[in-house]
Amino acid sequence: MSDSIKHECGIALIRLRKPFQYYLDKYKTPTYGLSKLYLMMEKQVNRGQDGAGVANIKINVNPGNRYISRYRSVEPQAVADIFGKINKKFRKAQKLAKDVKRETGIDPSHDAAWWQENVAFTGEVLLGHLRYGTHGQNEIENCHPMLRQSNWRSRNLVMAGNFNMTNVDDLFDKLVSLGQHPKEKVDTVTVMEKIGHFLDEENQRQFLKYRDKYENPELSDILAEQIDLVRVLERSCKDFDGGYAMVGLTGYGASFVARDPAGIRPAYYYMDEEVVVVASEKQAIKTSFNCAYDQIQEITPGSALVIDMDGSVKEAPFIDRLEQKSCSFERIYFSRGSDPDIYTERKKLGRLLIPQILDEVNNDLKNTVFSYIPNTAETAFLGMIDGLEDHLAKERKQAIMGGILFEKELEEMLTFRPRVEKLISKDVKVRTFITSDEQRDDMVSHVYDTTYEVINKGVDSVVLIDDSIVRGTTLEKSILSLLDKLSPKKIVIVSSAPQIRYPDCYGIDMSKMKEFVAFRAALALLKERGLESILDEVNLKCLLALENGTAHTENFVKAIYAPFTDQEISNKIADIVRPKNIKAEVSVIYQTVGNLNVACPNHLGDWYFTGNFPTPGGNQVVNKAFVNFMKGIEVRAY
């Protein structure tokens, strides 16, 4: 992605459904679950490289013994750092086992009870999280899993997730009204405290029900068996507005994965006799457990996958389901392209761009070179080439059926292939989105290199496909100047995604409107055509709606783009990103929203393109973001 944006976070949950001894006997190792968790996290590390965390719960531990383990890291290789520390514990335990065997003649390394008594991270419930710090600092305190502690096992709560809430202020105020004192006004803490509050209430409800029938410690076990996690989620999540896939582990070993009612954030699961696993991406599950893709299920939006203390599994609704609007950026960019469905969709995104591309180069394929911006646009590029081959096949058929061709013409037509070259390559291993805004302009000019002497100077057009164009910074500061050194007649930049016009508020790092090159293009067109009064009109509507508490009902910012066609916006974007000192003509092609929906029919979440937000909070965020822009305030709007 030429203007890389931060990914969503990644989750990985493993529940071992058999006694720990089963895995020790079958797989000859006490680290079966940990090894699988490590693999699942490594296969999703594309989703989060600002930090990682792992938590583990031991079930049926005697009172007084430790049963929750957790490590978090913000080191550059956070996953390796965490599992390196865990491995040290096991190496130390193996040495201890040898000492015991030498002294007693008994080898405890084959005894699950010994491992669980002496070594951390030997529990049956394992949770991993990969974090992208879309907002806030990358400190250890910001890393998931988060832990809400209690001396009562059934009141402990460990949480991690891939989520962002649009109404954190409201949720914070409700916590305060409940008598709580949250330590921070951030969605991670707020969500955990709200679920934790109702988990406490559920514990109290069951305690009052059974206190006269049982005494401790038996009462503690009864509470764990009777806790209704679906009820907890129904009560705690009813006010949530956002996209989320949240994992919760209770101290007694039950767990849940709750997915938002519009299915914005992804969550998939697989289960067999030995395990139940959940991840943000199918590919992580497929690779880690070698299961068939059709065995991997999607958690229903508005439902929670609940794994009880005994390992039984159910999927139950906890909130009214909305129209499904799964994030289309998952398909375009975020998720691994090795997932067969995503691979097919990305190829189709490239294929569907062919009519626009042919128009832009006037069907002059002999003098057009096709390439892509590595690495994520490669699949869309393959689809684009497939589309060109289909176009050429149709042309050949029409020409042959239309009449007799001379042998030279026929040979030329049958042997012609699209000209494909790798024109752009990454020169250094730097991702521009890691740098600060101030550093980005300087950094992007050094990230890419180009291949020389493959372009016919002054004759050829270059068509370069990218997965999306967000800010336009890399085009303006690096890529177009590099390509111009090849002396093409024309440079056509193609985006497999539509124009990003609106901020995201569900977990992607796209919050400031002025950063979107499409928004900058609309502003320029308004100024050119004397329509700047629209800005004031929209600002007034947004201000009044925010003041009256009705900003969630409508996206007023759509009016900024209404006077212009998509093509007019694209043409202005080409003007904006074209460096003044280059000679080549520049044009920009964006995917249409219609074609996006054709390519990804099951992932129709397109609010960043259309402004059609799937929750009321989205409208409030975009209206507030526009007001912030008009005031010159550079802060997140949620």
Side-chain angles (χ1 to χ4, degrees):
M1 177 179 269
S2 60
D3 295 317
S4 297
I5 56 178
K6 292 187 179 181
H7 304 202
E8 304 141 346
C9 298
I11 56 174
L13 172 68
I14 299 177
R15 169 59 199 274
L16 304 179
R17 304 182 77 187
K18 302 280 190 181
F20 198 80
Q21 187 68 49
Y22 171 89
Y23 306 92
L24 193 58
D25 293 340
K26 181 174 180 178
Y27 298 104
K28 311 303 180 186
T29 174
T31 61
Y32 169 78
L34 285 167
S35 298
K36 294 295 188 182
L37 185 68
Y38 172 77
L39 186 55
M40 285 179 71
M41 292 179 72
E42 281 292 348
K43 289 300 178 182
Q44 295 183 101
V45 77
N46 54 295
R47 304 185 70 84
Q49 297 172 34
D50 288 338
V54 168
N56 181 252
I57 304 286
K58 297 177 185 177
I59 301 175
N60 294 324
V61 172
N62 292 326
N65 292 315
R66 182 177 177 183
Y67 55 93
I68 299 178
S69 303
R70 178 180 64 150
Y71 273 154
R72 297 178 294 174
S73 174
V74 289
E75 293 299 313
Q77 302 294 327
V79 176
D81 179 52
I82 288 170
F83 282 90
K85 291 177 181 177
I86 294 174
N87 284 335
K88 285 182 180 179
K89 289 182 175 293
F90 281 86
R91 287 197 296 268
K92 185 178 179 180
Q94 287 166 345
K95 184 178 178 182
L96 177 61
K98 288 180 181 179
D99 292 342
V100 172
K101 182 179 179 181
R102 186 167 49 249
E103 293 174 6
T104 66
I106 300 172
D107 185 0
S109 65
H110 301 299
D111 182 6
W114 183 87
W115 282 103
Q116 292 194 303
E117 184 178 342
N118 290 279
V119 188
F121 294 98
T122 52
E124 296 85 351
V125 190
L126 304 100
L127 172 61
H129 185 265
L130 298 137
R131 178 178 185 270
Y132 255 121
T134 51
H135 301 283
Q137 298 179 346
N138 292 332
E139 298 176 349
I140 197 75
E141 291 78 11
N142 301 120
C143 278
H144 300 191
M146 310 296 278
L147 176 59
R148 190 177 191 266
Q149 293 180 291
S150 170
N151 284 340
W152 292 94
R153 187 177 58 172
S154 55
R155 290 175 183 255
N156 279 278
L157 179 64
V158 181
M159 285 204 67
N162 169 18
F163 64 88
N164 201 83
M165 300 299 171
T166 69
N167 60 334
V168 177
D169 289 343
D170 292 340
L171 294 175
F172 182 88
D173 291 342
K174 286 181 180 179
L175 281 176
V176 173
S177 70
L178 292 170
Q180 289 200 21
H181 298 269
K183 62 180 181 179
E184 292 181 79
K185 189 187 285 190
V186 294
D187 53 6
T188 303
V189 173
T190 305
V191 164
M192 182 177 67
E193 290 299 333
K194 194 145 189 286
I195 295 175
H197 170 81
F198 287 105
L199 179 61
D200 286 345
E201 286 206 348
E202 176 65 11
N203 270 273
Q204 186 65 20
R205 184 173 77 96
Q206 299 296 346
F207 173 77
L208 294 174
K209 183 176 179 180
Y210 292 104
R211 65 178 177 178
D212 295 331
K213 299 178 182 179
Y214 302 94
E215 295 183 358
N216 278 319
E218 187 180 9
L219 177 58
S220 178
D221 295 333
I222 293 297
L223 292 183
E225 293 172 3
Q226 298 300 320
I227 296 294
D228 185 347
L229 287 178
V230 176
R231 186 173 190 271
V232 171
L233 292 171
E234 286 173 345
R235 301 185 71 201
S236 55
C237 300
K238 62 183 179 181
D239 300 318
F240 290 175
D241 187 300
Y244 52 86
M246 302 183 299
V247 186
L249 314 182
T250 63
Y252 62 91
S255 56
F256 64 83
V257 183
R259 191 177 182 205
D260 68 83
I264 296 170
R265 297 276 70 87
Y268 301 94
Y269 72 96
Y270 161 77
M271 64 178 176
D272 57 26
E273 292 181 350
E274 295 184 358
V275 295
V276 183
V277 296
V278 180
S280 296
E281 297 188 28
K282 284 185 179 181
Q283 183 65 17
I285 299 174
K286 164 66 178 175
T287 302
S288 301
F289 292 90
N290 195 31
C291 57
Y293 270 103
D294 60 10
Q295 293 177 296
I296 303 171
Q297 305 298 315
E298 183 179 7
I299 295 178
T300 306
S303 292
L305 189 75
V306 178
I307 309 168
D308 288 329
M309 186 179 176
D310 63 1
S312 60
V313 182
K314 65 180 178 182
E315 189 177 8
F318 65 91
I319 195 170
D320 290 340
R321 187 172 178 178
L322 301 175
E323 181 183 0
Q324 186 155 343
K325 293 291 184 180
S326 301
C327 176
S328 56
F329 248 118
E330 286 283 349
R331 323 306 287 182
I332 298 167
Y333 174 58
F334 290 140
S335 296
R336 279 179 176 260
S338 50
D339 180 302
D341 292 334
I342 292 173
Y343 182 79
T344 300
E345 289 165 7
R346 289 182 184 173
K347 287 192 72 174
K348 195 162 188 177
L349 285 169
R351 184 189 295 265
L352 290 170
L353 286 159
I354 291 303
Q356 292 169 263
I357 293 171
L358 291 174
D359 285 345
E360 198 61 47
V361 298
N362 294 317
N363 287 288
D364 183 12
L365 295 181
K366 290 183 180 179
N367 297 307
T368 301
V369 175
F370 295 88
S371 192
Y372 64 95
I373 297 177
N375 289 321
T376 53
E378 183 176 2
T379 307
F381 171 75
L382 294 175
M384 179 177 71
I385 299 305
D386 283 351
L388 283 172
E389 294 285 5
D390 289 346
H391 167 75
L392 290 170
K394 290 177 182 177
E395 280 203 332
R396 293 183 190 112
K397 181 179 179 181
Q398 289 174 356
I400 292 170
M401 294 182 67
I404 298 175
L405 296 173
F406 291 107
E407 184 177 347
K408 184 178 179 180
E409 282 182 295
L410 180 61
E411 182 177 356
E412 184 177 327
M413 178 170 287
L414 292 176
T415 58
F416 179 78
R417 294 290 181 272
R419 294 172 61 192
V420 174
E421 303 289 352
K422 187 172 183 179
L423 296 179
I424 297 290
S425 58
K426 283 207 171 185
D427 193 33
V428 290
K429 294 180 179 179
V430 174
R431 294 177 306 163
T432 58
F433 57 86
I434 292 177
T435 67
S436 65
D437 290 344
E438 295 77 16
Q439 294 172 301
R440 182 180 290 117
D441 286 357
D442 178 64
M443 184 66 70
V444 296
S445 65
H446 302 289
V447 169
Y448 295 99
D449 200 357
T450 191
T451 305
Y452 290 91
E453 305 305 324
V454 292
I455 300 296
N456 296 318
K457 297 180 180 181
V459 176
D460 288 341
S461 294
V462 170
V463 174
L464 194 74
I465 191 169
D466 196 0
D467 45 32
S468 65
I469 303 168
V470 186
R471 304 178 184 94
T473 308
T474 309
L475 291 174
E476 182 179 0
K477 302 296 182 181
S478 177
I479 287 174
L480 288 171
S481 294
L482 277 174
L483 290 175
D484 191 61
K485 292 177 182 179
L486 305 178
S487 300
K489 179 181 68 175
K490 184 176 186 178
I491 302 170
V492 182
I493 303 296
V494 182
S495 169
S496 69
Q499 298 166 4
I500 297 173
R501 299 181 172 191
Y502 305 94
D504 179 80
C505 51
Y506 305 117
I508 307 173
D509 186 18
M510 298 191 301
S511 57
K512 300 173 185 175
M513 294 201 64
K514 74 168 192 176
E515 292 185 348
F516 304 143
V517 68
F519 182 68
R520 290 161 54 200
L523 294 179
L525 288 171
L526 288 171
K527 184 176 181 179
E528 286 178 7
R529 302 185 186 183
L531 299 173
E532 289 176 287
S533 60
I534 291 177
L535 296 174
D536 294 324
E537 293 169 8
V538 172
N539 190 43
L540 181 59
K541 288 181 179 179
C542 291
L543 285 169
L544 288 173
L546 288 167
E547 184 179 339
N548 297 331
T550 59
H552 62 281
T553 61
E554 183 179 348
N555 176 2
F556 299 107
V557 183
K558 287 183 177 182
I560 302 297
Y561 299 97
F564 315 115
T565 65
D566 291 353
Q567 188 61 53
E568 287 174 321
I569 297 286
S570 294
N571 292 343
K572 181 51 64 175
I573 289 171
D575 292 342
I576 290 172
V577 300
R578 184 182 187 277
K580 294 180 180 178
N581 60 342
I582 73 170
K583 297 178 181 179
E585 180 186 349
V586 174
S587 63
V588 176
I589 293 172
Y590 279 91
Q591 185 71 264
T592 67
V593 173
N595 279 345
L596 170 67
N597 293 338
V598 168
C600 310
N602 298 319
H603 295 77
L604 301 177
D606 57 13
W607 53 91
Y608 14 70
F609 309 128
T610 63
N612 299 327
F613 288 88
T615 74
N619 290 329
Q620 178 154 320
V621 166
V622 69
N623 291 330
K624 189 174 180 181
F626 183 75
V627 168
N628 287 344
F629 164 76
M630 293 294 285
K631 290 180 178 179
I633 300 174
E634 295 192 27
V635 296
R636 60 185 293 192
Y638 51 94

